Amino acid sequence: MSAANGAPPADAAVPAAVPAVVPPAAPKLSNAELKAKAKAEKQARRAQAKAAKEPVPGGAPAPASATQSSHPPADSKGNKAKGKLDGALSANSAATGRAAGPRGSVPTIPPKPESSIPECFSHLSMAKRLPITQADKDVHPTVLTLGQQMATFAIDESITRLKATLLAFKKVIDSYTTPPGNTLARHLTPHVLNPQIEYLSACRPMCFSMGNAIRWLKLQVSKIDPDVPDAEAKKELCASIDAFIQERINFADVVITQRAADYIETNDVVLVYGRNTLVERTLLHAHQAAGKKFEVIIIDDPYERQGQVLAKTLTAKGIKVSYSGDFGALRFQVNRANRIFLGAEGMFNNGALYGRCGTSDIAITAKDLGKHVYALCETINITDRVSTDSLTYNEIDPERCTGASFRLLYDTTLSQYLSTVVTEISSAQPTSVSYLLRKLEDSN
């Protein structure tokens, strides 16, 4: 009967069906391949879900009746198929900008504003004021305050930022307690110092002197004997920080001030740019301690106007001052001067000066007119990096960054436009900066 109906016998059904339904054995995947496959599938699902949620701008919502009429009724056996169809139609309506809800429309998501900074400058950092709530829980309150001051440029000069950072780290170390089962030498740097460093770097990029000092501090921590008690180890670290500040900052400033003041002669006309602490101390030392009478020309940064503060200070001490608020008469003013003093935020290994934006304009003009240019810089501000332009290392001014333009805070002056670099070790040619750096490393 079954043969007449066209069905094969029961005993022959199994052998005939085996070659038709058994697929070829799939190659066995390794664990790495399985993980990669699962990750790819997960990313594909996320992309599909994101595309379904984001409507195309300008899409018009569809009436609820039109959306509902596209779903014909189905029986209970077709619920699964209906769910798939509904999901597909919902995704399609979202992709075309139509609303899947019974009323209203999905609000159009405005396009993200494009960054005003060109891609070629995207590697440059910019100071930003981070909310304290976003800081790591291990960041010390003193460091939180310091980061806000740096972000708002209340503490601006590199050597001032360095000194404030070391004093803050001193408080961090003093309040530190080594957890049970750990040693100070191995626990302090990764779990305590690094969160402070990361927070300060997020508020504003570190200057060269801060990087040099932090590397030195980490080295001092690594040298601590694990058998030394915590109280003694912390006392030793705090004493080392005090000695570092005294030798590399305070004493260095005194020596540089005296050496630079020796270059000023009576009746000289000295030109300076903006306001720099080392340059200001040099002028005051030459006038008060050495008793020299000279005139100072201040070319001010038209954006910062810090030269006005310097002009008031020098005038109050009896020094004759000529003030220029911008670069309009730069060539005329440089031609009047006998020598030019420039403060450095840092010095590169190839002798290039890293200073406030506008420093290179003054140095180039002075070189063209045959004037001597003196760069004042502490050795802690010297880096082993090399730079020949102002785009490799720089910062973007957060106060002057709009959709139309932005401003860089610093520029790089090549060594051929400088006459002498004055440091606490010696006064040397700009090309000898690398020698000063090696000599400093040998002494350490």
Side-chain angles (χ1 to χ4, degrees):
M1 185 67 176
S2 60
N5 292 334
D11 57 351
V14 175
V18 169
V21 298
V22 176
K28 186 177 181 180
L29 299 177
S30 64
N31 292 335
E33 292 173 338
L34 288 173
K35 289 182 180 179
K37 181 179 178 182
K39 185 177 181 180
E41 292 175 353
K42 186 175 181 180
Q43 291 177 349
R45 289 195 299 271
R46 285 182 177 178
Q48 184 178 3
K50 184 177 180 181
K53 291 180 180 179
E54 293 183 356
V56 177
S65 59
T67 306
Q68 293 173 357
S69 64
S70 63
H71 296 271
D75 54 11
S76 60
K77 294 182 180 179
N79 285 339
K80 187 175 181 180
K82 180 181 177 182
K84 293 182 178 179
L85 180 61
D86 290 343
L89 290 175
S90 298
N92 184 43
S93 64
T96 56
R98 296 175 182 173
R103 294 181 182 180
S105 61
V106 177
T108 302
I109 300 177
K112 295 181 179 180
E114 296 183 359
S115 174
S116 60
I117 302 174
E119 186 177 356
C120 60
F121 296 97
S122 60
H123 66 286
L124 300 179
S125 302
M126 181 169 56
K128 49 185 177 292
R129 188 169 186 175
L130 297 178
I132 296 180
T133 54
Q134 295 183 5
D136 191 278
K137 61 182 180 63
D138 295 324
V139 178
H140 194 275
T142 304
V143 179
L144 288 174
T145 304
L146 177 60
Q148 299 299 310
Q149 292 174 337
M150 289 184 179
T152 56
F153 293 84
I155 299 178
D156 192 13
E157 282 190 13
S158 60
I159 206 68
T160 309
R161 292 163 59 192
L162 167 63
K163 189 172 183 178
T165 300
L166 290 176
L167 292 176
F169 284 176
K170 184 180 174 182
K171 292 185 178 181
V172 172
I173 294 171
D174 189 58
S175 63
Y176 168 76
T177 301
T178 305
N182 294 276
T183 60
L184 184 145
R186 294 186 176 182
H187 185 268
L188 179 62
T189 296
H191 297 90
V192 179
L193 290 182
N194 284 349
Q196 323 298 323
I197 298 169
E198 291 171 2
Y199 174 74
L200 292 178
S201 300
C203 291
R204 187 180 176 187
M206 289 194 302
C207 55
F208 298 144
S209 59
M210 290 175 63
N212 293 335
I214 287 173
R215 283 191 292 271
W216 167 86
L217 180 58
K218 288 183 176 181
L219 180 62
Q220 304 306 309
V221 173
S222 65
K223 291 179 179 180
I224 295 178
D225 191 340
D227 297 330
V228 175
D230 281 3
E232 184 178 346
K234 292 193 297 182
K235 184 177 180 181
E236 180 181 346
L237 283 176
C238 291
S240 298
I241 292 176
D242 289 336
F244 186 92
I245 293 175
Q246 185 65 24
E247 295 175 6
R248 302 296 302 276
I249 299 178
N250 297 338
F251 179 73
D253 287 354
V254 172
V255 174
I256 293 173
T257 296
Q258 294 175 351
R259 284 182 175 167
D262 291 340
Y263 290 106
I264 300 177
E265 302 292 341
T266 302
N267 298 325
D268 269 354
V269 178
V270 181
L271 186 142
V272 300
Y273 177 54
R275 179 176 182 264
N276 178 270
T277 303
L278 268 180
V279 174
E280 179 178 346
R281 291 176 179 174
T282 297
L283 298 175
L284 293 176
H285 180 82
H287 176 73
Q288 295 177 333
K292 300 176 182 178
K293 296 185 179 297
F294 53 90
E295 180 184 352
V296 177
I297 300 174
I298 301 176
I299 305 294
D300 205 359
D301 184 345
Y303 295 95
E304 301 296 337
R305 299 294 184 185
Q306 289 295 316
Q308 295 179 357
V309 179
L310 176 62
K312 293 178 181 178
T313 302
L314 298 181
T315 303
K317 298 298 182 180
I319 301 177
K320 183 180 179 181
V321 175
S322 298
Y323 176 83
S324 179
D326 52 31
F327 288 77
L330 176 61
R331 192 173 183 86
F332 170 76
Q333 299 287 13
V334 172
N335 194 36
R336 284 186 57 211
N338 300 105
R339 59 197 82 249
I340 291 88
F341 284 87
L342 300 175
E345 289 290 314
M347 291 290 296
F348 292 102
N349 197 17
N350 60 337
L353 182 148
Y354 184 70
R356 280 289 177 185
C357 190
T359 303
S360 61
D361 296 322
I362 295 178
I364 292 173
T365 304
K367 177 71 173 180
D368 186 44
L369 295 175
K371 306 294 182 179
H372 283 78
V373 180
Y374 301 88
L376 279 56
C377 180
E378 301 91 342
T379 54
I380 191 62
N381 279 323
I382 300 177
T383 178
D384 57 357
R385 302 173 186 176
V386 174
S387 180
T388 58
D389 57 69
S390 301
L391 303 181
T392 305
Y393 304 101
N394 215 315
E395 289 184 46
I396 296 175
D397 188 351
E399 299 296 330
R400 297 168 182 86
C401 181
T402 64
S405 62
F406 67 95
R407 174 178 178 262
L408 298 178
L409 288 176
Y410 303 102
D411 61 23
T412 299
T413 305
L414 299 182
S415 59
Q416 64 253 34
Y417 301 112
L418 304 175
S419 304
T420 306
V421 177
V422 184
T423 68
E424 69 269 24
I425 296 179
S426 65
S427 299
Q429 298 294 320
T431 52
S432 302
V433 169
S434 58
Y435 166 75
L436 296 176
L437 189 61
R438 288 194 303 270
K439 185 177 180 180
L440 188 64
E441 291 174 351
D442 295 339
S443 63
N444 292 335

